Amino acid sequence: MSTTTSSGARAGRWLILGAVCLAALIPPLGFTGGAVAMPAIGRELGGSPFALNWIVNGYMLAFGSTLMAAGALSDQYGRKKVFSTGVGLFVLASLLLAGVSQLPWLNLLRGAQGLAGAMILAGGTAALAQEFDGPARTRAFAMLGTTFGIGLAFGPVLTGWLIQDFGWRASFLTGAAAGVLALLLGVPKMHESRDPGATGLDWPGSISFTAALGALTLGIMQAPLHGWLSAQVTGLLSAAFALMVLFVWIERRVRRPMLDLSLFRYTRFIGVQALPLATCYCYVVLLIMLPIRFIGIEGHSELDAGWMLMTLSLPMLVVPAMAASLAHRIPAGVLCGAGLLLAAVGLLYMSRIAPGQSVWDWAVPMLLVGVGSGMPWGLMDGLSVSVVPRERAGMATGIFSTTRVAGECIGLALMSAVLVGLLQWRLHVAMPSVEIDVVNATARQLAAGNRLLAMAPWPDAAHAALITAYSEAFRWVMYVLAAITTVSALVVFGFLGKAGAAPEADANSCAVL
């Protein structure tokens, strides 16, 4: 009888793992799917480049700003409840997205998907930690991380195929299908668990952090439209700074803060925070900018763009595990820094590719970036907890995850603004007699991948000059990304280059976009 009960319990745990892994497909599918679908959505629903950018930025903003709050809610009200609610919300939002006909509603629903993604990640990972112990926990989180990598690698191809054969609305149904399976297979077997010491959500901290991140992202996105020195942009950036100061003040005074700032007294912990910021600029930004270029500027189909991106994403399936094996002989900080330098080389190589070159010309630099980014990607989750005392590991993980997702949100908005600004400057230099409003509008349309709309006001003879301007602006963006990645590598070498505590998490620990 006990053997049967034990077998049933093991089967139940693996069903729970299967459900959480299925749900782990949702964040990468939601992220990469929105980027690949953006040009097709723009062609059907219209909208300004600013509004279209919210298809991705709205998702990331909601995800990053609510991740800490979702973790606190899961501790207070139950990991199973938060996880299943998040999956259900994502499924509902995806179904509504498939029928939406106006861009503002689409962006609002994308924000709901981001909120749901935060609930899924916070509740799901906490639930797994309760269900598994010891080596089984390591294997469970390895499977979770691998699933996330599969979503990154194959998400663009799946989205491209669905858009090509069924339209962009079908692309939002993949996450819904994964969510329904997760709800049916694993959630009924999941046990509810709570933190008996939880004191509830830090509402003042949560609200001030969300408002600060929102104001900063909105200010950066508005800069190409109104100018960095405009009253609107400076007001938003000033508000973001004031709100972040308020957030720090709140967190230093509450009994159980969402963000324990005392952890930043550990210098190696500061160095770890450079890793998610670096991988944002050398990898995550490309997952958005490259589909826009491939589809919107160079005219590739969504499916072809998805296949091209696999060269960038496939290394994430194997390189993290390889890096973890090497970390037993080489300091993890050295491996991470070396990987970032390799990614910087790939970015510089990518800067030399002109529009119209073959798929094979892109393969080598994207492979370099993918391999280089995969080395810190597989180590940084473990480093985030190994560089602080064991009893502070939970808070360290929360800070690290928030740094990663919030940094990605800001990084995407910032690099889009940089591309628009460079395009405006290039077009002004090339065509000084053209009205500034026309030039600025063209730059915004090109940066969003709306080549036909960008070229509509211009004579045919000027079209080649517009593409050349885009190519030069894109080249300089790659220079900027390579510089940020190189500086990050130097910071990592300085803070983490010496031998220290080995990462305690597995190589494929759950990674967030």
Side-chain angles (χ1 to χ4, degrees):
M1 184 70 177
S2 60
T3 303
T4 303
T5 302
S6 177
S7 298
R10 285 196 298 269
R13 284 197 296 269
W14 290 107
L15 278 175
I16 293 167
L17 174 60
V20 176
C21 285
L22 279 170
L25 288 171
I26 289 175
L29 288 176
F31 177 72
T32 59
V36 174
M38 190 190 303
I41 293 172
R43 289 193 297 269
E44 181 173 332
L45 301 185
S48 67
F50 174 79
L52 289 170
N53 280 335
W54 279 105
I55 296 172
V56 173
N57 287 324
Y59 178 86
M60 293 302 298
L61 177 60
F63 196 166
S65 63
T66 60
L67 191 56
M68 285 192 294
L73 288 174
S74 68
D75 289 341
Q76 177 75 20
Y77 297 105
R79 285 74 182 244
K80 175 181 177 180
K81 183 177 295 183
V82 169
F83 174 77
S84 56
T85 301
V87 174
L89 176 60
F90 195 94
V91 170
L92 176 61
S94 299
L95 294 175
L96 292 174
L97 277 166
V100 74
S101 59
Q102 295 180 339
L103 188 58
W105 283 108
L106 186 146
N107 287 333
L108 182 63
L109 289 169
R110 286 286 288 169
Q113 283 189 319
L115 171 61
M119 297 172 69
I120 291 167
L121 181 68
T125 54
L128 281 189
Q130 301 299 315
E131 295 288 346
F132 294 90
D133 293 305
R137 179 184 291 179
T138 299
R139 290 193 297 271
F141 275 88
M143 290 181 65
L144 186 65
T146 300
T147 303
F148 199 93
I150 289 171
L152 281 178
F154 294 98
V157 175
L158 178 60
T159 300
W161 169 68
L162 289 170
I163 292 173
Q164 183 169 294
D165 287 358
F166 303 102
W168 62 264
R169 298 174 190 278
S171 65
F172 290 113
L173 298 179
T174 54
V180 169
L181 288 174
L183 288 173
L184 293 177
L185 293 178
V187 170
K189 297 288 185 179
M190 192 178 289
H191 301 98
E192 188 59 277
S193 62
R194 297 177 177 84
D195 179 359
T199 57
L201 179 61
D202 173 17
W203 284 105
S206 179
I207 292 171
S208 58
F209 179 79
T210 301
L213 186 58
L216 179 58
T217 304
L218 184 59
I220 294 172
M221 291 177 67
Q222 290 276 14
L225 188 62
H226 301 287
W228 286 96
L229 298 179
S230 66
Q232 185 171 352
V233 172
T234 55
L236 285 167
L237 297 182
S238 299
F241 177 78
L243 286 164
M244 189 54 67
V245 171
L246 175 62
F247 171 70
V248 172
W249 183 84
I250 291 170
E251 295 306 288
R252 295 185 65 179
R253 283 159 177 78
V254 297
R255 186 165 65 89
R256 288 195 61 171
M258 291 195 307
L259 187 74
D260 188 351
L261 299 173
S262 66
L263 286 177
F264 288 93
R265 292 181 300 193
Y266 301 98
T267 55
R268 285 173 64 82
F269 183 71
I270 296 174
V272 168
Q273 307 313 307
L275 294 173
L277 297 178
T279 54
C280 164
Y281 287 98
C282 68
Y283 178 70
V284 176
V285 166
L286 297 181
L287 292 176
I288 301 301
M289 299 192 78
L290 289 180
I292 292 174
R293 172 168 176 166
F294 293 157
I295 300 168
I297 302 299
E298 302 204 17
H300 293 284
S301 70
E302 286 82 2
L303 181 57
D304 288 342
W307 283 115
M308 292 169 72
L309 285 172
M310 284 190 68
T311 310
L312 179 67
S313 298
L314 273 178
M316 288 296 175
L317 295 178
V318 294
V319 173
M322 294 171 58
S325 297
L326 291 171
H328 295 293
R329 298 184 295 275
I330 303 172
V334 173
L335 288 173
C336 291
L340 294 177
L341 290 179
L342 180 63
V345 171
L347 290 166
L348 291 174
Y349 193 159
M350 202 175 293
S351 71
R352 302 177 60 84
I353 302 177
Q357 291 188 232
S358 72
V359 173
W360 298 109
D361 292 316
W362 285 97
V364 172
M366 286 200 293
L367 187 63
L368 290 174
V369 171
V371 171
S373 303
M375 293 173 71
W377 196 278
L379 296 170
M380 57 188 179
D381 292 89
L383 280 169
S384 70
V385 296
S386 69
V387 297
V388 299
R390 185 183 298 272
E391 65 272 13
R392 312 295 297 280
M395 178 60 70
T397 299
I399 294 174
F400 174 80
S401 298
T402 301
T403 299
R404 173 185 266 171
V405 182
E408 288 166 359
C409 178
I410 296 168
L412 290 172
L414 182 60
M415 287 301 103
S416 295
V418 168
L419 178 59
V420 173
L422 289 169
L423 268 168
Q424 290 173 344
W425 174 70
R426 295 292 307 181
L427 291 173
H428 283 311
V429 171
M431 305 169 185
S433 61
V434 180
E435 293 183 11
I436 189 170
D437 289 342
V438 174
V439 168
N440 289 346
T442 299
R444 291 193 293 271
Q445 294 288 0
L446 280 174
N450 299 325
R451 182 184 57 181
L452 297 180
L453 289 176
M455 292 180 173
W458 299 81
D460 292 345
H463 290 181
L466 297 180
I467 297 300
T468 299
Y470 176 89
S471 178
E472 288 300 314
F474 192 91
R475 181 193 306 274
W476 278 96
V477 170
M478 294 301 104
Y479 290 158
V480 172
L481 295 177
I484 294 173
T485 305
T486 301
V487 171
S488 299
L490 297 177
V491 171
V492 170
F493 282 130
F495 282 92
L496 300 172
K498 296 180 180 179
E504 296 176 359
D506 69 276
N508 290 310
S509 55
C510 181
V512 184
L513 263 182

